[in-house]
Amino acid sequence: MSRLLKMCFLLISMNHAKITHSQNSEDLPPLLHKAVEEVIAGKYLNALLDMLYFQSSNVWTADLLTKVMAYFHAQEVMFTLSSLQMSIKSYLKNLLYQPRQLLSELQQLDQQQFQTAMKYLFNSKKEHLEIGNIILDWGKIRERIFQSPGVNRTLFLVTLDKCFLALSALDCVDILSQVLRVSAVNYLQPDVVGSLPNLLLEDAFRNLSSLFKDLYDRTSASTQRALYGWMKQILQKSYNMSEFNESTSWVSAESLWILGRYMVHLPLEEILKISLNEIRLFISYDNATKQLDTVYDITPGLAQALLERINSSGFDMRNTSTIYRLGLLVCFYDDLEQMDAAVARALLHQMIKCNQLRGFQAKVHELKSQLLNIAMQNQTLNDTVGTLSDAVVGLTSSQLESLSPEAVHNAVATLNQVSGWAKSQVMILSSKYLSYEKVLSFYNMSQMGALVTGIGTWSLHSMSPRELAQMIRGTTSQYLSDLSPAQQQGILRKIASSGEFSSSVKDIQGAFFKEVSLSGLWKQTGYNSAMLNEKELRSSQALYLYELLSKENHPIDLLSTGQLVKGVTCQLFESMDTDIFLDNFKFFEMNLHLLSPYQVNCLAWKFWRVSNASIPPFLLLALPSEYLEYVSGPLCVPFLERVGKTGMDLLNPSLHKRDAVLQKVQECLNSSIADEYDVDLLGNLICHLPPAFLHGRMSLKAMAAALHQFKLCQQLSHEQKIEIKYKLLQLYGPSNNWTAEATLDVGPFIVLLSKEELNVLVEKFPEIILQIAKTIGPVSSAEELLSAVFESVSNGTGRVLLSLSRADCLRTRAPSSNEIIKLGEANVFWSVQELKCMDPETFDKNVELLGGVTGFNSSQLTVLKEKAKQVWGLLPDWRSYQIISLGRIALALSAQEIPELDLSSIDTVSALTQQTGWTLTQARAILQGFLDDSGQTISTLKSFDLVGLGAVLCTLNSTEITSIRTAEFSAAIARIGLLFCSTPVLRQFKKMTESVFGAAPSWNGSVLQEIGTIAGGLNEDELKAIDKSLMPYIQPSAVRHIPPEIFQALSPEQIANLGPENAAVVTGWQREHLDAAQLQSLGLALEGARSSSPGTQSTAGAPQEGQSPAPSDKTSSPEL
C-alpha cells in the first residue's frame, strides 16, 4: 500500500515546470482540490482515495499537474518532491504496521472514500495500477495487506462498522467472507458478534448465515452460541409474532434450513414445540440430509427429540427413504423393537457417518452392536458381511476368522471403503482375500483399498518388480504411507533388485521417497528437478541431489521444487552471486520450515553480508544476541509478526539465548499485551512469554483472544499454566459457574483445576469432559482429570458384579466394553483385581484399546497378559494378528515366554519392536525367536528384516553385526541410524558403514546425515579428523551419543562449527569434559556466531574421490 499511496506526489514528478504565478482553488476540480488540502493536512490515506476516485473519471494532464504544484506554492507549503514522497512513503508504511491507527483512519473516511477503498481492496482484479507513467504492483501490495493478521482484523472490524451503511449488503457479506477465511477463530469473538447488523435483506442474511455455517468449526463454542443468538434474533423477526404463543415455536422449516449446524443450539423445549407441518416440510427438502449430516456436536437428547417430532409428523421411520434423510440423527435411533434385518442394514449403512460425531462414540458403538445382531438374524455372517457397512469394525477377531475366503472376496468392495480397522482385523481380512485369489497381483491389490496394509512384508517382496512398480504408480499408492517401514522397504528392495527402479524412481511420491537409501540414489542416473516435485526428501537425499543437479541447472529450477532447499549448504549460500541470492530469497522464505536451524543461520549471515540494511528482521534472531539491538521502532512489527509465524525453535534452538529474545519481544510490545492486536502479532511467540509477564502484563481482553493460541502451545511450563489458569478464572469466573460453552473453550486447560472443581464440571457436563479427556494424552499430564472421568463413568454405569465360578470375582465390578471405549487413557484406574475379572469376550473385543493405554503399570499389564492367555489359549497357539493386537500389553511377556510365540513373521516382530520399554533380555529373546522361527541367520537377513527388527538390533554382538550383508545393511542404514544403541554397538555399526561409504575420514555431509546415530560410534581419531565444515551435518541424535571422553577430543574450531542445533543438544556430562577454549567455542555455536568463514570442503552428497559410489556384495542384488 505504501508504494500505492506514494503516487499522490509521484504524479507531480512528471512535471518540472517552473511555477511562476499564483494559483487559487477555483482552478482545480473540487475533488482534486479536496485531495490537495488533505495532503497539506497530512491525511495521505484520504488524499490517495480521493485521487483514485478522481482518476476513475478524469485524465491527468500536464496542465493539471502544473495547477496542483502552483496551488501548493500559493499556500506557502514548502517542500521538495523527494522529501514529500519520502514522508508519504514512511507514513503509509508505518500505517500498515499500526493496524489500530489504520482502523481509526478508515473509520474516519467519508462514504465515497470508503467505497473506493473497498473497491480496490476486494473487487479490483488488476495486478497493476497505472497512474500516469507510473506502474504499481497492486497484486503484491494486496498480498502484503492480507498477510498481516492485524491489518486483516482492522479490515474485518471496519467492514462491520461502516460497510453495511456504504455498500450493498451482499457486497459486504462477500468482503466479510474474504477476511474471515483468513482467521475466523481469532476475529469472530462473542463481543464482536454483537456488532453484526440485525437488519438485513433476505439474500444477504442467507449468504452471511451460510458463511458462518462454513466457519463453524473454526470458531469457539462461545462464538457459536453467540452466532446462533444473532441468527435466532433475525429469524424471529421474520416470524409472524401475532400468531406466537407459548405452545408454538418460531422455528419453521426454512429456519431449520438456514440454521443448519446451528440447530444444535435450539433448546429441547423449543424442538418439542416445532409445528409438525414445518418438520414434515423440512425433512421433505432435498437438502435436509445435507443439513443434518453436519450436526456433529448434537446431543442424544436433542437428536431423539427431533426424531420424535419427525416420527410424529407422519414419516415412516423404518422406511429406507426416511432413514437416508435423517443424517447424523441415525446415530441416536432408539426404536429397535421388532425391527427387521433390512431396516437394520439400512441404518448401519447410514451410520458410517457417525464417527464424525463429537463424543457419544460408546453409545454409537452400542447401537451398532445391537443393529448388527438384528441384521444377522437368521443369516450367517458370510451372507451378510458385505451389507453391514462400517459396523464390521465391531466384529471380534474370532468372528472375522470365521468368515470364508469367498465371503471376504465378495464383500471386498464394501470392506475396502471402511475406516477405523484395527491392524489385526486388516491382517485377517487381507489373508482371507488373498487365500481366495491364490496369487498376489497388482489387480488384486487395487481391489483391496485400505486392506493392502494387512499384506505381509514377505508377500509384498515376493511380487514381481513390474507389478510393484505399477502399485506405486496406481491408485493403491495412496496407502503406501500407511504401510510399516518394513513393508515399504520390502517393496523398494524388490524394485531395486530389478531394472525397474530407474524408471520407477520418478513415480515414487510423497513421504515414500524418503525410504529410498542414499546408496540407492547414487546408483541411478537421469535425475532432473521436475522429477522431484511432489516428493519428500531426507536431508541426506537433498544434499546429494542438489549438488548433483546444480552442475547443470539454474538455482531457481532447483529451489522451486521446495524440498531441495534442504540440500543447500552453507558453502552454497556463501558462493551465491548477490543478485541470484536476493532474487531467490523468496524460495528460502517460503520453505523456511524445511530448513535446519544451521541453514537458517547461514541464510541470515549471507543476507547480513550482502544487504544488511534490508535484512528481514526475523533473520536477526538467527544471528548472535547483539544483533537483536537492530530490532527497534518500525522493525518491531515485522520482527514479531514473522517470528510468531515461524517459531523460535527453528530460528534459534538455544535455550540460553531465549531470555534475550523474550526481552526484545517485551520491549517491542511496550511491556504489555494490551489487546487482540498484540495477540495477532505474537502468534506462537505467546507460548514462550515468561509467567510473570502473563500475570501482570496481559489484559483480559487479550486473554480472550489468546486462548486459542495457548491451546496450540506444545511445551508450556507448569508456571505458565498456573498463570493461564489465573487468567481463565478472571475471564470466565469460578469454574462452578461455567457454561457448557466456556468449558469447551477452556478445553485442555481444565487439567489445571483441582479435583473438587473437576468433579463439579464432570457432574454438570459429563460428555464434554469425556470429549476433552480423550485429547489430553498420558495420565502423567492429567491425573486429576482422568481420575475424575474414571469415577464419573464407573459410578454412572452402576456396579456390575460378575457371577463367575471364581470366588475372587463374585463381588468385583468388571470393566464393560462401553466403559473401556469411554475412558480411553483413564482406563489406567482399573484395579488389577477388576482387570482380572474382565469378561473374556470384553477383553477380546477391546484388546487394541487396552493395548494402546500408555499409563498401565507392570502389574496391570501382567494381569492383561494373563487374560490374553485365558482367552486365546497357550502362547504357541497365538496367531500373528493376536500378538500385534496386544500393543503395550506385550511388554509383560517375559524373556522365557517370548520364545514360545510364533515370531516367524517380520511383521509380528516389527509391531513388537515399535513398543518402547523392552529390557535387553526381552529384546534379545525377540531377536532370537525371529531367527529360530523364520529359519534365518544374521547373514541371511534382508534389508526389510533389519528395518522390521528395529531396536532389537541393539542386542547384536560384534560378530553378528559383521555378518550382516553389506548390500542389505546399506539399504536399511538410514533406519538403523534412528536407533539409540549402546556405544559398542554403534562402533560396530560404524565399521559396517565404512564398508558402504568408505573410510570415515572420506564421509561427506550427506553420509553423516544418512547414518544418524551411527556417527556416535566414531572413535577419537576419526572424530578429530572430521573437517569443521562437516560438523553441522552430524545429526543431533548422534552428538548426544558421543561419549564425553571422545567428545572432548574435538578442537575448539570443530565445536564452534557444530551449528546452533547440535550445540543445543550437548549434554551436561559432555560439557564437564571440555576446557575453557572449547566451552567458549560451544557458546559461539549456540549463539550462531562465526569465528571465521565456513570451510571450503564440499558437504553435499556426491561420492568423494576414492569413495565407492555404491556398496558391493557378491551374494546380493543391487540395493537402494
Side-chain angles (χ1 to χ4, degrees):
M1 185 182 280
S2 57
R3 289 198 298 172
L4 174 62
L5 300 188
K6 247 175 35 176
M7 76 168 213
C8 298
F9 284 94
L10 287 175
L11 293 171
I12 300 168
S13 65
M14 287 186 277
N15 189 326
H16 298 282
K18 187 176 178 181
I19 310 299
T20 55
H21 61 281
S22 65
Q23 184 78 35
N24 59 51
S25 62
E26 293 175 5
D27 293 333
L28 292 174
L31 188 58
L32 194 54
H33 172 254
K34 178 170 175 271
V36 171
E37 287 291 347
E38 286 164 338
V39 170
I40 293 170
K43 296 182 177 180
Y44 299 134
L45 179 59
N46 304 62
L48 163 76
L49 294 168
D50 282 335
M51 284 192 169
L52 279 173
Y53 186 68
F54 173 80
Q55 180 177 288
S56 66
S57 55
N58 294 275
V59 178
W60 288 94
T61 62
D63 179 58
L64 199 56
L65 293 172
T66 301
K67 289 178 181 179
V68 169
M69 285 302 291
Y71 184 78
F72 279 124
H73 193 79
Q75 301 303 311
E76 298 183 354
V77 177
M78 301 301 175
F79 53 76
T80 65
L81 288 176
S82 61
S83 67
L84 180 57
Q85 289 171 23
M86 286 302 295
S87 62
I88 293 172
K89 178 180 178 180
S90 174
Y91 164 81
L92 294 168
K93 183 177 180 180
N94 288 339
L95 197 58
L96 272 187
Y97 289 138
Q98 297 176 40
R100 297 179 190 86
Q101 178 66 24
L102 178 61
L103 176 62
S104 173
E105 299 212 8
L106 287 172
Q107 285 173 329
Q108 293 173 41
L109 297 178
D110 62 35
Q111 186 163 316
Q112 186 61 66
Q113 289 167 337
F114 181 80
Q115 288 173 345
T116 303
M118 294 296 102
K119 171 188 170 186
Y120 279 91
L121 278 170
F122 295 102
N123 294 325
S124 173
K125 301 296 183 187
K126 295 181 178 179
E127 285 297 312
H128 296 87
L129 290 179
E130 296 184 22
I131 303 100
N133 63 356
I134 297 171
I135 299 176
L136 300 173
D137 189 346
W138 181 232
K140 187 172 285 187
I141 295 166
R142 287 174 80 245
E143 183 182 348
R144 168 69 188 90
I145 290 170
F146 292 123
Q147 280 178 348
S148 165
V151 174
N152 262 300
R153 184 182 290 277
T154 283
L155 293 176
F156 170 65
L157 293 174
V158 81
T159 301
L160 281 185
D161 184 43
K162 294 179 69 79
C163 188
F164 289 93
L165 300 173
L167 300 176
S168 79
L170 283 172
D171 286 341
C172 295
V173 170
D174 183 54
I175 290 169
L176 282 175
S177 175
Q178 291 184 56
V179 177
L180 281 174
R181 292 187 193 282
V182 175
S183 187
V185 69
N186 289 331
Y187 303 159
L188 265 181
Q189 295 291 332
D191 58 328
V192 173
V193 174
S195 305
L196 291 171
N198 52 22
L199 287 173
L200 278 176
L201 294 174
E202 185 178 350
D203 284 350
F205 173 62
R206 282 172 179 263
N207 288 1
L208 195 49
S209 299
S210 179
L211 169 65
F212 291 148
K213 283 188 280 190
D214 290 343
L215 298 175
Y216 190 96
D217 287 324
R218 293 171 54 193
T219 53
S220 69
S222 299
T223 297
Q224 290 163 5
R225 169 66 72 175
L227 286 168
Y228 161 75
W230 171 78
M231 294 164 80
K232 171 188 170 184
Q233 182 185 15
I234 294 180
L235 288 169
Q236 281 182 323
K237 283 180 183 174
S238 64
Y239 181 79
N240 188 347
M241 297 305 283
S242 61
E243 298 176 9
F244 179 79
N245 62 62
E246 288 188 7
S247 64
T248 61
S249 172
W250 57 271
V251 180
S252 64
E254 188 177 26
S255 298
L256 287 170
W257 181 80
I258 291 172
L259 283 170
R261 296 187 63 172
Y262 290 89
M263 73 174 74
V264 301
H265 297 283
L266 286 166
L268 183 62
E269 55 274 18
E270 194 70 57
I271 290 174
L272 295 173
K273 292 193 300 185
I274 299 174
S275 155
L276 295 179
N277 284 335
E278 296 296 335
I279 283 285
R280 190 182 307 113
L281 187 56
F282 173 65
I283 296 298
S284 299
Y285 282 168
D286 285 340
N287 72 348
T289 307
K290 182 182 175 184
Q291 303 295 326
L292 292 172
D293 274 347
T294 63
V295 289
Y296 308 124
D297 45 353
I298 197 165
T299 61
L302 290 181
Q304 279 158 5
L306 281 166
L307 287 170
E308 187 275 322
R309 295 305 282 167
I310 295 166
N311 185 32
S312 300
S313 70
F315 281 96
D316 178 0
M317 300 300 281
R318 297 195 174 181
N319 179 283
T320 303
S321 175
T322 304
I323 289 170
Y324 285 176
R325 289 177 173 271
L326 296 178
L328 290 174
L329 299 184
V330 296
C331 308
F332 304 98
Y333 197 100
D334 60 353
D335 180 20
L336 306 186
E337 224 173 286
Q338 296 183 330
M339 179 179 287
D340 65 38
V343 176
R345 286 195 289 272
L347 283 165
L348 286 171
H349 182 74
Q350 288 301 97
M351 287 185 75
I352 200 165
K353 309 167 184 173
C354 296
N355 59 2
Q356 298 175 74
L357 281 177
R358 310 281 158 76
F360 309 107
Q361 288 302 320
K363 285 181 181 291
V364 171
H365 190 272
E366 194 174 355
L367 176 58
K368 281 184 179 179
S369 182
Q370 292 170 322
L371 291 170
L372 198 58
N373 291 334
I374 297 170
M376 291 167 57
Q377 278 175 356
N378 303 320
Q379 294 187 77
T380 66
L381 185 55
N382 281 330
D383 295 331
T384 56
V385 67
T387 64
L388 301 178
S389 189
D390 73 338
V392 289
V393 170
L395 296 172
T396 64
S397 297
S398 54
Q399 286 175 305
L400 292 176
E401 273 284 24
S402 72
L403 288 169
S404 69
E406 184 180 10
V408 174
H409 175 268
N410 293 338
V412 75
T414 300
L415 299 175
N416 68 17
Q417 304 282 326
V418 172
S419 61
W421 290 115
K423 177 70 174 175
S424 59
Q425 293 175 310
V426 174
M427 290 174 68
I428 294 168
L429 292 170
S430 295
S431 175
K432 295 278 182 187
Y433 178 77
L434 294 175
S435 68
Y436 179 85
E437 293 291 349
K438 308 299 184 197
V439 178
L440 179 56
S441 66
F442 167 67
Y443 173 77
N444 294 338
M445 290 177 71
S446 66
Q447 301 302 301
M448 293 174 72
L451 298 181
V452 296
T453 59
I455 301 173
T457 297
W458 186 256
S459 297
L460 289 169
H461 185 72
S462 300
M463 289 179 68
S464 76
R466 186 173 298 279
E467 293 209 280
L468 285 173
Q470 280 183 285
M471 174 196 174
I472 64 175
R473 295 187 192 109
T475 54
T476 318
S477 63
Q478 65 184 295
Y479 303 109
L480 289 173
S481 60
D482 298 325
L483 298 177
S484 72
Q487 289 171 308
Q488 293 178 341
Q489 182 63 217
I491 292 169
L492 285 173
R493 194 74 182 85
K494 188 57 173 279
I495 297 174
S497 68
S498 71
E500 294 291 325
F501 185 68
S502 294
S503 59
S504 300
V505 71
K506 65 178 182 297
D507 297 313
I508 302 174
Q509 299 299 325
F512 189 36
F513 191 81
K514 294 169 81 170
E515 296 299 322
V516 178
S517 71
L518 178 62
S519 56
L521 289 181
W522 281 7
K523 295 173 58 180
Q524 306 306 320
T525 56
Y527 295 111
N528 59 65
S529 57
M531 181 191 294
L532 299 174
N533 288 322
E534 309 302 323
K535 289 176 171 53
E536 288 185 43
L537 305 178
R538 294 196 316 278
S539 293
S540 58
Q541 295 170 320
L543 284 162
Y544 167 66
L545 291 169
Y546 191 96
E547 177 163 322
L548 180 71
L549 294 172
S550 64
K551 294 167 185 173
E552 297 180 5
N553 290 269
H554 192 273
I556 192 169
D557 296 323
L558 303 182
L559 297 175
S560 61
T561 64
Q563 290 277 325
L564 272 179
V565 298
K566 295 177 182 178
V568 180
T569 64
C570 216
Q571 289 72 29
L572 284 168
F573 280 123
E574 291 296 328
S575 63
M576 267 189 196
D577 175 81
T578 297
D579 289 338
I580 290 176
F581 172 77
L582 294 174
D583 288 345
N584 290 290
F585 176 73
K586 62 185 176 185
F587 293 114
F588 298 115
E589 194 170 23
M590 283 189 308
N591 295 295
L592 210 59
H593 61 289
L594 297 177
L595 301 179
S596 69
Y598 175 65
Q599 286 179 297
V600 175
N601 177 248
C602 296
L603 183 69
W605 276 118
K606 175 68 175 180
F607 213 123
W608 179 261
R609 285 177 177 144
V610 303
S611 184
N612 60 15
S614 63
I615 187 171
F618 74 90
L619 282 181
L620 296 171
L621 183 57
L623 299 177
S625 300
E626 58 265 27
Y627 286 80
L628 289 171
E629 294 172 12
Y630 291 93
V631 178
S632 62
L635 290 184
C636 264
V637 171
F639 172 75
L640 293 178
E641 195 176 278
R642 188 55 199 266
V643 176
K645 285 179 182 176
T646 305
M648 268 209 316
D649 292 338
L650 171 62
L651 295 167
N652 196 302
S654 166
L655 285 172
H656 93 286
K657 188 174 174 180
R658 193 152 297 191
D659 288 344
V661 176
L662 292 177
Q663 187 58 45
K664 177 57 64 177
V665 169
Q666 292 170 59
E667 281 176 29
C668 282
L669 289 169
N670 294 322
S671 299
S672 71
I673 307 177
D675 56 21
E676 59 270 40
Y677 279 107
D678 287 338
V679 173
D680 290 341
L681 197 55
L682 280 168
N684 68 33
L685 268 175
I686 207 165
C687 304
H688 303 283
L689 293 175
F693 191 77
L694 296 177
H695 178 82
R697 302 289 186 169
M698 186 176 192
S699 72
L700 284 183
K701 188 176 184 184
M703 182 63 201
L707 180 54
H708 172 71
Q709 189 64 51
F710 276 130
K711 287 182 190 176
L712 302 177
C713 298
Q714 298 293 313
Q715 293 179 312
L716 290 171
S717 69
H718 176 70
E719 292 74 21
Q720 286 175 306
K721 290 176 181 176
I722 294 300
E723 296 306 334
I724 290 170
K725 174 187 174 180
Y726 171 75
K727 289 291 182 188
L728 288 172
L729 292 175
Q730 281 186 303
L731 191 63
Y732 293 110
S735 59
N736 58 338
N737 293 334
W738 287 358
T739 62
E741 288 75 28
T743 307
L744 278 167
D745 288 341
V746 171
F749 291 115
I750 63 171
V751 300
L752 305 174
L753 300 175
S754 69
K755 183 70 176 291
E756 293 71 28
E757 292 170 315
L758 286 167
N759 284 336
V760 172
L761 288 176
V762 169
E763 192 173 334
K764 282 173 69 177
F765 312 117
E767 282 296 334
I768 289 175
I769 302 302
L770 266 179
Q771 188 179 325
I772 294 170
K774 283 289 183 74
T775 67
I776 291 297
V779 69
S780 58
S781 62
E783 187 165 355
E784 298 282 354
L785 170 64
L786 295 177
S787 173
V789 165
F790 179 80
E791 288 171 16
S792 168
V793 170
S794 55
N795 293 339
T797 52
R799 297 190 66 80
V800 181
L801 302 179
L802 286 183
S803 299
L804 298 176
S805 55
R806 288 178 50 166
D808 58 349
C809 284
L810 286 175
R811 294 194 171 278
T812 301
R813 177 200 53 190
S816 68
S817 284
N818 194 294
E819 289 169 320
I820 291 169
I821 293 167
K822 280 186 177 181
L823 287 172
E825 195 64 29
N827 278 296
V828 295
F829 293 100
W830 294 112
S831 70
V832 169
Q833 182 66 16
E834 287 166 333
L835 292 172
K836 184 188 291 184
C837 295
M838 189 191 312
D839 180 70
E841 188 180 345
T842 301
F843 175 83
D844 201 25
K845 273 188 175 180
N846 299 287
V847 60
E848 263 99 0
L849 282 173
L850 294 167
V853 175
T854 60
F856 279 137
N857 61 35
S858 58
S859 300
Q860 291 169 310
L861 292 174
T862 299
V863 79
L864 289 169
K865 175 198 69 175
E866 293 302 323
K867 180 61 66 176
K869 289 182 181 180
Q870 179 192 339
V871 176
W872 299 335
L874 298 174
L875 293 173
D877 297 330
W878 287 10
R879 306 289 297 274
S880 178
Y881 67 80
Q882 290 171 326
I883 299 171
I884 287 173
S885 70
L886 285 173
R888 291 190 61 77
I889 300 170
L891 294 172
L893 291 163
S894 69
Q896 291 71 43
E897 290 173 316
I898 288 170
E900 294 186 54
L901 299 171
D902 176 4
L903 297 180
S904 58
S905 165
I906 190 58
D907 300 293
T908 308
V909 174
S910 176
L912 290 176
T913 60
Q914 283 168 26
Q915 302 300 332
T916 55
W918 296 106
T919 65
L920 278 175
T921 312
Q922 287 174 306
R924 182 69 199 189
I926 293 171
L927 172 63
Q928 198 58 53
F930 172 66
L931 294 174
D932 292 344
D933 293 344
S934 65
Q936 295 202 75
T937 62
I938 300 295
S939 63
T940 63
L941 294 178
K942 296 279 193 182
S943 61
F944 52 81
D945 293 320
L946 297 172
V947 169
L949 284 166
V952 304
L953 291 175
C954 294
T955 67
L956 292 170
N957 60 42
S958 57
T959 305
E960 290 170 327
I961 291 173
T962 54
S963 69
I964 298 173
R965 285 185 293 177
T966 304
E968 305 303 329
F969 182 81
S970 70
I973 201 166
R975 282 282 170 184
I976 295 171
L978 298 175
L979 304 178
F980 300 129
C981 299
S982 66
T983 300
V985 173
L986 291 178
R987 284 177 179 160
Q988 212 52 50
F989 281 147
K990 184 266 300 180
K991 289 180 182 176
M992 283 294 298
T993 302
E994 289 185 305
S995 68
V996 178
F997 294 120
S1002 70
W1003 293 351
N1004 56 30
S1006 61
V1007 171
L1008 287 168
Q1009 281 285 298
E1010 178 83 350
I1011 67 175
T1013 56
I1014 297 173
L1018 292 166
N1019 64 34
E1020 187 174 325
D1021 292 335
E1022 291 164 338
L1023 201 58
K1024 285 162 65 175
I1026 294 179
D1027 187 274
K1028 65 179 183 179
S1029 67
L1030 292 174
M1031 294 305 293
Y1033 298 98
I1034 301 175
Q1035 288 201 23
S1037 56
V1039 172
R1040 277 194 296 266
H1041 275 75
I1042 299 173
E1045 63 275 13
I1046 304 291
F1047 190 77
Q1048 69 180 355
L1050 290 170
S1051 69
E1053 289 75 21
Q1054 284 176 305
I1055 292 174
N1057 283 277
L1058 274 172
E1061 191 175 20
N1062 280 343
V1065 301
V1066 172
T1067 67
W1069 200 15
Q1070 289 169 326
R1071 279 172 176 268
E1072 287 175 12
H1073 285 68
L1074 300 181
D1075 62 27
Q1078 289 171 313
L1079 287 171
Q1080 184 181 11
S1081 293
L1082 185 62
L1084 291 174
L1086 284 165
E1087 282 280 314
R1090 286 283 174 84
S1091 56
S1092 62
S1093 62
T1096 56
Q1097 179 173 330
S1098 168
T1099 59
Q1104 301 298 302
E1105 187 176 347
Q1107 182 179 3
S1108 172
S1112 63
D1113 192 308
K1114 293 177 182 176
T1115 61
S1116 296
S1117 51
E1119 71 302 309
L1120 289 173

